[in-house]
Amino acid sequence: MADDVSEIARASYQAYVDKDRAALEALIAEDFHFSSPLDNRLDRETYFERCWPNSERIRACTFKHVIAIGETAFVTYEGEAFNGKGFRNTEILTIRGGKIVEVEVYFGWSLPHSAPDGGFVESGEVS
């Protein structure tokens, strides 16, 4: 797994499901940065303070797409929380030397989807 970008990406999500912080720490580089619509280039320490507690709510992670191109993994996954709520996100992971150096998160939607099959909701109506 040392240099397999897609396997390193998959292992990082599995660490959340397994509640295995040590496994995730071993995959994340010291110069790591994390960005999302709510976070702007958090460093490693801040990432673990802010994001790792979410592992307590995550029951499962199902991969929809894991595409590796060079040192980049594009991952779309569906997460399931212990309360039964689900979500779908896409993330871009940059991996160098067997370590994750950067993650960009793009929030998806809640599951089940707020809109009916073949339909839509107006802006501001999303639950």
Short mmCIF file of all heavy atoms in Angstrom, two decimals, residues 1-60:
data_model
loop_
_atom_site.label_atom_id
_atom_site.label_comp_id
_atom_site.label_asym_id
_atom_site.label_seq_id
_atom_site.Cartn_x
_atom_site.Cartn_y
_atom_site.Cartn_z
N MET A 1 0.82 -1.21 0.00
CA MET A 1 0.00 0.00 0.00
C MET A 1 0.86 1.26 0.00
O MET A 1 0.36 2.33 -0.28
CB MET A 1 -0.91 0.00 1.23
CG MET A 1 -1.79 1.24 1.30
SD MET A 1 -3.00 1.23 2.60
CE MET A 1 -2.03 1.81 3.97
N ALA A 2 2.14 1.18 0.29
CA ALA A 2 2.97 2.35 0.50
C ALA A 2 2.82 3.43 -0.56
O ALA A 2 2.85 4.61 -0.23
CB ALA A 2 4.43 1.93 0.61
N ASP A 3 2.67 3.06 -1.81
CA ASP A 3 2.57 4.07 -2.86
C ASP A 3 1.30 3.97 -3.68
O ASP A 3 1.17 4.64 -4.69
CB ASP A 3 3.79 3.98 -3.78
CG ASP A 3 5.06 4.40 -3.06
OD1 ASP A 3 5.02 5.37 -2.30
OD2 ASP A 3 6.08 3.73 -3.25
N ASP A 4 0.35 3.15 -3.28
CA ASP A 4 -0.90 3.00 -4.02
C ASP A 4 -1.87 4.09 -3.58
O ASP A 4 -2.47 4.01 -2.52
CB ASP A 4 -1.49 1.61 -3.80
CG ASP A 4 -2.69 1.36 -4.69
OD1 ASP A 4 -3.42 2.31 -5.04
OD2 ASP A 4 -2.92 0.19 -5.02
N VAL A 5 -2.01 5.11 -4.41
CA VAL A 5 -2.80 6.30 -4.07
C VAL A 5 -4.23 5.92 -3.70
O VAL A 5 -4.77 6.39 -2.70
CB VAL A 5 -2.76 7.30 -5.24
CG1 VAL A 5 -3.73 8.43 -5.05
CG2 VAL A 5 -1.34 7.84 -5.40
N SER A 6 -4.87 5.06 -4.49
CA SER A 6 -6.26 4.72 -4.19
C SER A 6 -6.39 3.93 -2.89
O SER A 6 -7.33 4.14 -2.12
CB SER A 6 -6.90 3.96 -5.35
OG SER A 6 -6.23 2.75 -5.60
N GLU A 7 -5.44 3.05 -2.60
CA GLU A 7 -5.50 2.28 -1.36
C GLU A 7 -5.24 3.16 -0.14
O GLU A 7 -5.85 2.96 0.92
CB GLU A 7 -4.53 1.11 -1.40
CG GLU A 7 -4.97 0.01 -2.33
CD GLU A 7 -6.37 -0.52 -2.00
OE1 GLU A 7 -6.65 -0.79 -0.82
OE2 GLU A 7 -7.19 -0.62 -2.93
N ILE A 8 -4.35 4.12 -0.27
CA ILE A 8 -4.10 5.05 0.83
C ILE A 8 -5.35 5.88 1.09
O ILE A 8 -5.75 6.08 2.25
CB ILE A 8 -2.88 5.95 0.52
CG1 ILE A 8 -1.61 5.11 0.52
CG2 ILE A 8 -2.78 7.11 1.51
CD1 ILE A 8 -0.40 5.79 -0.07
N ALA A 9 -5.99 6.34 0.03
CA ALA A 9 -7.24 7.10 0.19
C ALA A 9 -8.29 6.24 0.89
O ALA A 9 -8.90 6.68 1.88
CB ALA A 9 -7.75 7.56 -1.18
N ARG A 10 -8.52 5.03 0.41
CA ARG A 10 -9.52 4.15 1.02
C ARG A 10 -9.22 3.90 2.50
O ARG A 10 -10.12 3.90 3.34
CB ARG A 10 -9.58 2.81 0.28
CG ARG A 10 -10.22 2.88 -1.08
CD ARG A 10 -10.12 1.51 -1.78
NE ARG A 10 -10.58 1.56 -3.14
CZ ARG A 10 -11.84 1.40 -3.52
NH1 ARG A 10 -12.77 1.18 -2.62
NH2 ARG A 10 -12.16 1.47 -4.80
N ALA A 11 -7.95 3.70 2.81
CA ALA A 11 -7.56 3.42 4.20
C ALA A 11 -7.86 4.61 5.11
O ALA A 11 -8.21 4.43 6.28
CB ALA A 11 -6.08 3.06 4.26
N SER A 12 -7.75 5.83 4.57
CA SER A 12 -8.03 7.01 5.41
C SER A 12 -9.49 7.08 5.80
O SER A 12 -9.83 7.43 6.93
CB SER A 12 -7.58 8.29 4.70
OG SER A 12 -8.39 8.60 3.60
N TYR A 13 -10.39 6.72 4.89
CA TYR A 13 -11.82 6.72 5.22
C TYR A 13 -12.15 5.57 6.17
O TYR A 13 -12.97 5.70 7.07
CB TYR A 13 -12.66 6.62 3.95
CG TYR A 13 -12.50 7.82 3.06
CD1 TYR A 13 -11.57 7.82 2.02
CD2 TYR A 13 -13.25 8.97 3.26
CE1 TYR A 13 -11.40 8.92 1.21
CE2 TYR A 13 -13.08 10.09 2.45
CZ TYR A 13 -12.16 10.06 1.43
OH TYR A 13 -11.98 11.15 0.63
N GLN A 14 -11.51 4.43 5.96
CA GLN A 14 -11.75 3.28 6.83
C GLN A 14 -11.33 3.59 8.26
O GLN A 14 -11.94 3.11 9.22
CB GLN A 14 -11.03 2.04 6.30
CG GLN A 14 -11.45 0.76 7.01
CD GLN A 14 -12.94 0.47 6.84
OE1 GLN A 14 -13.48 0.55 5.75
NE2 GLN A 14 -13.61 0.14 7.94
N ALA A 15 -10.29 4.40 8.43
CA ALA A 15 -9.86 4.78 9.78
C ALA A 15 -10.98 5.51 10.51
O ALA A 15 -11.16 5.33 11.73
CB ALA A 15 -8.60 5.64 9.70
N TYR A 16 -11.75 6.33 9.80
CA TYR A 16 -12.90 7.00 10.42
C TYR A 16 -13.95 5.99 10.85
O TYR A 16 -14.48 6.05 11.97
CB TYR A 16 -13.51 8.03 9.46
CG TYR A 16 -12.93 9.40 9.60
CD1 TYR A 16 -11.76 9.75 8.95
CD2 TYR A 16 -13.54 10.35 10.41
CE1 TYR A 16 -11.20 11.01 9.08
CE2 TYR A 16 -13.00 11.62 10.55
CZ TYR A 16 -11.84 11.94 9.88
OH TYR A 16 -11.29 13.19 10.02
N VAL A 17 -14.26 5.05 9.99
CA VAL A 17 -15.26 4.03 10.31
C VAL A 17 -14.80 3.19 11.50
O VAL A 17 -15.58 2.88 12.40
CB VAL A 17 -15.55 3.14 9.08
CG1 VAL A 17 -16.45 1.96 9.45
CG2 VAL A 17 -16.18 3.97 7.97
N ASP A 18 -13.50 2.84 11.51
CA ASP A 18 -12.94 2.00 12.57
C ASP A 18 -12.61 2.76 13.85
O ASP A 18 -12.21 2.16 14.84
CB ASP A 18 -11.67 1.31 12.08
CG ASP A 18 -11.93 0.31 10.97
OD1 ASP A 18 -13.10 -0.10 10.78
OD2 ASP A 18 -10.95 -0.03 10.26
N LYS A 19 -12.71 4.10 13.81
CA LYS A 19 -12.35 4.95 14.95
C LYS A 19 -10.88 4.75 15.32
O LYS A 19 -10.50 4.74 16.48
CB LYS A 19 -13.22 4.67 16.19
CG LYS A 19 -14.69 4.45 15.96
CD LYS A 19 -15.39 5.64 15.37
CE LYS A 19 -16.84 5.34 15.09
NZ LYS A 19 -17.15 5.07 13.71
N ASP A 20 -10.04 4.62 14.31
CA ASP A 20 -8.62 4.31 14.48
C ASP A 20 -7.77 5.53 14.13
O ASP A 20 -7.24 5.65 13.03
CB ASP A 20 -8.25 3.11 13.61
CG ASP A 20 -6.86 2.59 13.89
OD1 ASP A 20 -6.07 3.27 14.59
OD2 ASP A 20 -6.56 1.48 13.39
N ARG A 21 -7.66 6.44 15.10
CA ARG A 21 -6.91 7.67 14.86
C ARG A 21 -5.45 7.38 14.54
O ARG A 21 -4.86 8.05 13.69
CB ARG A 21 -7.03 8.60 16.07
CG ARG A 21 -6.28 9.90 15.85
CD ARG A 21 -6.51 10.89 16.94
NE ARG A 21 -5.57 11.99 16.80
CZ ARG A 21 -5.78 13.20 17.27
NH1 ARG A 21 -6.90 13.48 17.92
NH2 ARG A 21 -4.87 14.15 17.12
N ALA A 22 -4.86 6.41 15.20
CA ALA A 22 -3.44 6.09 14.93
C ALA A 22 -3.24 5.70 13.47
O ALA A 22 -2.24 6.09 12.86
CB ALA A 22 -2.97 4.98 15.87
N ALA A 23 -4.17 4.96 12.91
CA ALA A 23 -4.07 4.57 11.49
C ALA A 23 -4.12 5.80 10.60
O ALA A 23 -3.36 5.90 9.64
CB ALA A 23 -5.18 3.59 11.13
N LEU A 24 -5.03 6.73 10.92
CA LEU A 24 -5.13 7.95 10.11
C LEU A 24 -3.89 8.82 10.28
O LEU A 24 -3.36 9.35 9.31
CB LEU A 24 -6.39 8.73 10.47
CG LEU A 24 -6.67 9.93 9.58
CD1 LEU A 24 -6.84 9.51 8.12
CD2 LEU A 24 -7.91 10.67 10.06
N GLU A 25 -3.41 8.95 11.51
CA GLU A 25 -2.20 9.76 11.74
C GLU A 25 -1.02 9.22 10.94
O GLU A 25 -0.20 9.99 10.44
CB GLU A 25 -1.86 9.80 13.23
CG GLU A 25 -2.80 10.69 14.01
CD GLU A 25 -2.42 10.82 15.47
OE1 GLU A 25 -1.36 10.28 15.88
OE2 GLU A 25 -3.18 11.47 16.20
N ALA A 26 -0.94 7.92 10.79
CA ALA A 26 0.16 7.31 10.03
C ALA A 26 0.06 7.62 8.53
O ALA A 26 1.07 7.57 7.83
CB ALA A 26 0.17 5.80 10.24
N LEU A 27 -1.13 7.97 8.06
CA LEU A 27 -1.34 8.25 6.64
C LEU A 27 -1.21 9.72 6.28
O LEU A 27 -1.10 10.06 5.11
CB LEU A 27 -2.74 7.77 6.22
CG LEU A 27 -2.99 6.27 6.29
CD1 LEU A 27 -4.46 5.98 6.04
CD2 LEU A 27 -2.10 5.53 5.31
N ILE A 28 -1.25 10.59 7.28
CA ILE A 28 -1.29 12.03 7.02
C ILE A 28 0.09 12.67 7.27
O ILE A 28 0.68 12.49 8.33
CB ILE A 28 -2.37 12.71 7.88
CG1 ILE A 28 -3.75 12.22 7.39
CG2 ILE A 28 -2.28 14.21 7.81
CD1 ILE A 28 -4.91 12.84 8.10
N ALA A 29 0.56 13.40 6.27
CA ALA A 29 1.87 14.04 6.34
C ALA A 29 1.90 15.16 7.38
O ALA A 29 0.87 15.74 7.72
CB ALA A 29 2.23 14.61 4.97
N GLU A 30 3.09 15.47 7.84
CA GLU A 30 3.26 16.56 8.81
C GLU A 30 2.87 17.91 8.23
O GLU A 30 2.38 18.78 8.94
CB GLU A 30 4.70 16.59 9.32
CG GLU A 30 5.05 15.42 10.23
CD GLU A 30 4.19 15.34 11.48
OE1 GLU A 30 3.91 16.37 12.11
OE2 GLU A 30 3.80 14.21 11.83
N ASP A 31 3.09 18.10 6.92
CA ASP A 31 2.76 19.38 6.28
C ASP A 31 1.38 19.36 5.61
O ASP A 31 1.11 20.11 4.69
CB ASP A 31 3.84 19.77 5.27
CG ASP A 31 4.00 18.74 4.15
OD1 ASP A 31 3.52 17.59 4.29
OD2 ASP A 31 4.61 19.09 3.13
N PHE A 32 0.49 18.52 6.11
CA PHE A 32 -0.87 18.33 5.61
C PHE A 32 -1.71 19.60 5.70
O PHE A 32 -1.56 20.39 6.64
CB PHE A 32 -1.52 17.22 6.45
CG PHE A 32 -2.99 17.02 6.22
CD1 PHE A 32 -3.44 16.27 5.15
CD2 PHE A 32 -3.93 17.55 7.09
CE1 PHE A 32 -4.79 16.06 4.94
CE2 PHE A 32 -5.28 17.34 6.90
CZ PHE A 32 -5.72 16.59 5.82
N HIS A 33 -2.62 19.75 4.73
CA HIS A 33 -3.62 20.83 4.76
C HIS A 33 -4.97 20.30 4.32
O HIS A 33 -5.06 19.43 3.45
CB HIS A 33 -3.21 22.00 3.86
CG HIS A 33 -2.08 22.78 4.45
ND1 HIS A 33 -0.78 22.53 4.11
CD2 HIS A 33 -2.07 23.76 5.37
CE1 HIS A 33 0.01 23.35 4.80
NE2 HIS A 33 -0.75 24.10 5.57
N PHE A 34 -6.02 20.85 4.93
CA PHE A 34 -7.40 20.41 4.69
C PHE A 34 -8.28 21.61 4.40
O PHE A 34 -8.28 22.59 5.14
CB PHE A 34 -7.93 19.70 5.95
CG PHE A 34 -9.38 19.29 5.86
CD1 PHE A 34 -9.74 18.08 5.29
CD2 PHE A 34 -10.38 20.12 6.37
CE1 PHE A 34 -11.07 17.70 5.22
CE2 PHE A 34 -11.71 19.74 6.30
CZ PHE A 34 -12.06 18.53 5.73
N SER A 35 -9.05 21.50 3.29
CA SER A 35 -9.97 22.58 2.92
C SER A 35 -11.34 22.00 2.61
O SER A 35 -11.46 20.88 2.11
CB SER A 35 -9.46 23.32 1.68
OG SER A 35 -8.21 23.93 1.94
N SER A 36 -12.36 22.77 2.94
CA SER A 36 -13.75 22.43 2.63
C SER A 36 -14.51 23.75 2.50
O SER A 36 -13.92 24.82 2.72
CB SER A 36 -14.35 21.57 3.75
OG SER A 36 -14.77 22.38 4.85
N PRO A 37 -15.79 23.70 2.20
CA PRO A 37 -16.54 24.96 2.18
C PRO A 37 -16.53 25.69 3.53
O PRO A 37 -16.76 26.89 3.58
CB PRO A 37 -17.96 24.51 1.81
CG PRO A 37 -17.74 23.28 0.99
CD PRO A 37 -16.58 22.59 1.66
N LEU A 38 -16.20 24.95 4.61
CA LEU A 38 -16.17 25.56 5.95
C LEU A 38 -14.76 25.77 6.49
O LEU A 38 -14.59 26.41 7.53
CB LEU A 38 -16.94 24.66 6.93
CG LEU A 38 -18.39 24.36 6.55
CD1 LEU A 38 -18.99 23.38 7.56
CD2 LEU A 38 -19.21 25.63 6.47
N ASP A 39 -13.76 25.21 5.84
CA ASP A 39 -12.39 25.20 6.37
C ASP A 39 -11.41 25.63 5.28
O ASP A 39 -11.47 25.10 4.17
CB ASP A 39 -12.02 23.79 6.83
CG ASP A 39 -13.04 23.20 7.78
OD1 ASP A 39 -13.07 23.62 8.94
OD2 ASP A 39 -13.82 22.33 7.33
N ASN A 40 -10.50 26.53 5.62
CA ASN A 40 -9.55 27.03 4.63
C ASN A 40 -8.12 26.65 5.01
O ASN A 40 -7.50 27.28 5.86
CB ASN A 40 -9.68 28.55 4.50
CG ASN A 40 -8.88 29.11 3.35
OD1 ASN A 40 -8.29 28.36 2.56
ND2 ASN A 40 -8.83 30.42 3.25
N ARG A 41 -7.64 25.57 4.39
CA ARG A 41 -6.26 25.10 4.58
C ARG A 41 -5.88 24.91 6.04
O ARG A 41 -4.87 25.43 6.51
CB ARG A 41 -5.26 26.00 3.85
CG ARG A 41 -5.33 25.82 2.34
CD ARG A 41 -4.25 26.55 1.57
NE ARG A 41 -2.88 26.31 2.00
CZ ARG A 41 -2.13 25.24 1.70
NH1 ARG A 41 -2.63 24.27 0.99
NH2 ARG A 41 -0.88 25.16 2.11
N LEU A 42 -6.67 24.13 6.75
CA LEU A 42 -6.33 23.80 8.13
C LEU A 42 -5.05 22.99 8.14
O LEU A 42 -4.84 22.13 7.29
CB LEU A 42 -7.44 22.95 8.77
CG LEU A 42 -8.85 23.53 8.82
CD1 LEU A 42 -9.77 22.56 9.54
CD2 LEU A 42 -8.87 24.90 9.47
N ASP A 43 -4.20 23.23 9.14
CA ASP A 43 -3.01 22.41 9.28
C ASP A 43 -3.38 21.09 9.94
O ASP A 43 -4.52 20.86 10.35
CB ASP A 43 -1.91 23.15 10.04
CG ASP A 43 -2.27 23.49 11.48
OD1 ASP A 43 -3.20 22.89 12.06
OD2 ASP A 43 -1.60 24.37 12.04
N ARG A 44 -2.41 20.21 10.06
CA ARG A 44 -2.63 18.85 10.58
C ARG A 44 -3.24 18.87 11.97
O ARG A 44 -4.22 18.17 12.25
CB ARG A 44 -1.30 18.10 10.57
CG ARG A 44 -1.37 16.64 10.93
CD ARG A 44 0.04 16.05 10.86
NE ARG A 44 0.04 14.63 10.73
CZ ARG A 44 0.03 13.78 11.76
NH1 ARG A 44 0.02 14.25 12.99
NH2 ARG A 44 0.05 12.48 11.56
N GLU A 45 -2.66 19.65 12.86
CA GLU A 45 -3.14 19.69 14.24
C GLU A 45 -4.60 20.19 14.32
O GLU A 45 -5.44 19.59 15.00
CB GLU A 45 -2.24 20.60 15.09
CG GLU A 45 -2.66 20.69 16.53
CD GLU A 45 -1.76 21.59 17.36
OE1 GLU A 45 -0.68 22.01 16.86
OE2 GLU A 45 -2.13 21.88 18.50
N THR A 46 -4.89 21.26 13.61
CA THR A 46 -6.25 21.82 13.62
C THR A 46 -7.23 20.84 12.97
O THR A 46 -8.37 20.69 13.43
CB THR A 46 -6.29 23.18 12.91
OG1 THR A 46 -5.30 24.03 13.50
CG2 THR A 46 -7.66 23.83 13.04
N TYR A 47 -6.80 20.16 11.93
CA TYR A 47 -7.64 19.16 11.28
C TYR A 47 -8.06 18.08 12.29
O TYR A 47 -9.24 17.74 12.39
CB TYR A 47 -6.89 18.52 10.11
CG TYR A 47 -7.54 17.27 9.59
CD1 TYR A 47 -8.66 17.33 8.76
CD2 TYR A 47 -7.04 16.02 9.94
CE1 TYR A 47 -9.26 16.16 8.30
CE2 TYR A 47 -7.64 14.86 9.48
CZ TYR A 47 -8.74 14.94 8.67
OH TYR A 47 -9.34 13.79 8.22
N PHE A 48 -7.10 17.55 13.02
CA PHE A 48 -7.45 16.50 13.99
C PHE A 48 -8.34 17.05 15.10
O PHE A 48 -9.28 16.37 15.54
CB PHE A 48 -6.20 15.83 14.56
CG PHE A 48 -5.68 14.74 13.67
CD1 PHE A 48 -4.53 14.92 12.94
CD2 PHE A 48 -6.36 13.54 13.56
CE1 PHE A 48 -4.06 13.92 12.10
CE2 PHE A 48 -5.90 12.53 12.72
CZ PHE A 48 -4.74 12.72 12.00
N GLU A 49 -8.12 18.27 15.53
CA GLU A 49 -8.98 18.87 16.57
C GLU A 49 -10.41 19.07 16.06
O GLU A 49 -11.37 18.80 16.78
CB GLU A 49 -8.42 20.23 17.00
CG GLU A 49 -7.16 20.15 17.82
CD GLU A 49 -6.55 21.52 18.06
OE1 GLU A 49 -7.18 22.55 17.75
OE2 GLU A 49 -5.41 21.55 18.56
N ARG A 50 -10.52 19.55 14.84
CA ARG A 50 -11.84 19.92 14.29
C ARG A 50 -12.57 18.75 13.62
O ARG A 50 -13.78 18.60 13.78
CB ARG A 50 -11.66 21.05 13.28
CG ARG A 50 -12.94 21.51 12.63
CD ARG A 50 -12.74 22.83 11.93
NE ARG A 50 -13.79 23.13 11.00
CZ ARG A 50 -14.98 23.63 11.32
NH1 ARG A 50 -15.27 23.85 12.58
NH2 ARG A 50 -15.87 23.90 10.40
N CYS A 51 -11.86 17.93 12.88
CA CYS A 51 -12.51 16.92 12.04
C CYS A 51 -12.56 15.52 12.65
O CYS A 51 -13.52 14.79 12.42
CB CYS A 51 -11.83 16.87 10.68
SG CYS A 51 -11.90 18.44 9.81
N TRP A 52 -11.53 15.13 13.38
CA TRP A 52 -11.51 13.76 13.91
C TRP A 52 -12.71 13.43 14.80
O TRP A 52 -13.23 12.31 14.72
CB TRP A 52 -10.21 13.45 14.65
CG TRP A 52 -10.23 12.07 15.20
CD1 TRP A 52 -10.34 11.69 16.50
CD2 TRP A 52 -10.23 10.86 14.43
NE1 TRP A 52 -10.39 10.33 16.59
CE2 TRP A 52 -10.32 9.79 15.34
CE3 TRP A 52 -10.16 10.58 13.07
CZ2 TRP A 52 -10.34 8.46 14.93
CZ3 TRP A 52 -10.19 9.25 12.66
CH2 TRP A 52 -10.28 8.21 13.58
N PRO A 53 -13.23 14.34 15.61
CA PRO A 53 -14.42 14.01 16.41
C PRO A 53 -15.61 13.51 15.58
O PRO A 53 -16.46 12.78 16.10
CB PRO A 53 -14.74 15.31 17.14
CG PRO A 53 -13.41 15.97 17.29
CD PRO A 53 -12.71 15.66 15.98
N ASN A 54 -15.67 13.85 14.30
CA ASN A 54 -16.74 13.35 13.43
C ASN A 54 -16.72 11.82 13.31
O ASN A 54 -17.74 11.21 12.98
CB ASN A 54 -16.65 13.96 12.04
CG ASN A 54 -17.00 15.42 12.06
OD1 ASN A 54 -17.90 15.85 12.78
ND2 ASN A 54 -16.29 16.21 11.29
N SER A 55 -15.58 11.20 13.57
CA SER A 55 -15.49 9.74 13.46
C SER A 55 -16.48 9.06 14.40
O SER A 55 -16.98 7.97 14.09
CB SER A 55 -14.08 9.25 13.74
OG SER A 55 -13.74 9.44 15.11
N GLU A 56 -16.79 9.68 15.51
CA GLU A 56 -17.72 9.10 16.47
C GLU A 56 -19.13 8.98 15.93
O GLU A 56 -19.94 8.20 16.43
CB GLU A 56 -17.71 9.89 17.78
CG GLU A 56 -16.40 9.79 18.52
CD GLU A 56 -16.02 8.35 18.83
OE1 GLU A 56 -16.89 7.55 19.24
OE2 GLU A 56 -14.83 8.01 18.67
N ARG A 57 -19.46 9.76 14.91
CA ARG A 57 -20.81 9.74 14.32
C ARG A 57 -20.92 8.85 13.09
O ARG A 57 -22.01 8.55 12.64
CB ARG A 57 -21.23 11.16 13.95
CG ARG A 57 -21.39 12.06 15.15
CD ARG A 57 -22.00 13.39 14.77
NE ARG A 57 -21.06 14.33 14.20
CZ ARG A 57 -20.25 15.11 14.90
NH1 ARG A 57 -20.23 15.04 16.20
NH2 ARG A 57 -19.44 15.94 14.29
N ILE A 58 -19.79 8.44 12.53
CA ILE A 58 -19.81 7.72 11.25
C ILE A 58 -19.84 6.21 11.48
O ILE A 58 -18.98 5.64 12.14
CB ILE A 58 -18.59 8.11 10.40
CG1 ILE A 58 -18.67 9.61 10.06
CG2 ILE A 58 -18.51 7.26 9.14
CD1 ILE A 58 -17.47 10.16 9.38
N ARG A 59 -20.86 5.59 10.90
CA ARG A 59 -21.02 4.14 11.02
C ARG A 59 -20.45 3.42 9.80
O ARG A 59 -19.92 2.32 9.90
CB ARG A 59 -22.49 3.79 11.18
CG ARG A 59 -22.72 2.29 11.17
CD ARG A 59 -24.11 1.84 11.46
NE ARG A 59 -25.15 2.68 10.92
CZ ARG A 59 -26.40 2.64 11.33
NH1 ARG A 59 -26.76 1.80 12.27
NH2 ARG A 59 -27.30 3.43 10.79
N ALA A 60 -20.59 4.02 8.61
CA ALA A 60 -20.18 3.33 7.39
C ALA A 60 -19.77 4.33 6.32
O ALA A 60 -20.19 5.49 6.35
CB ALA A 60 -21.31 2.45 6.88
#
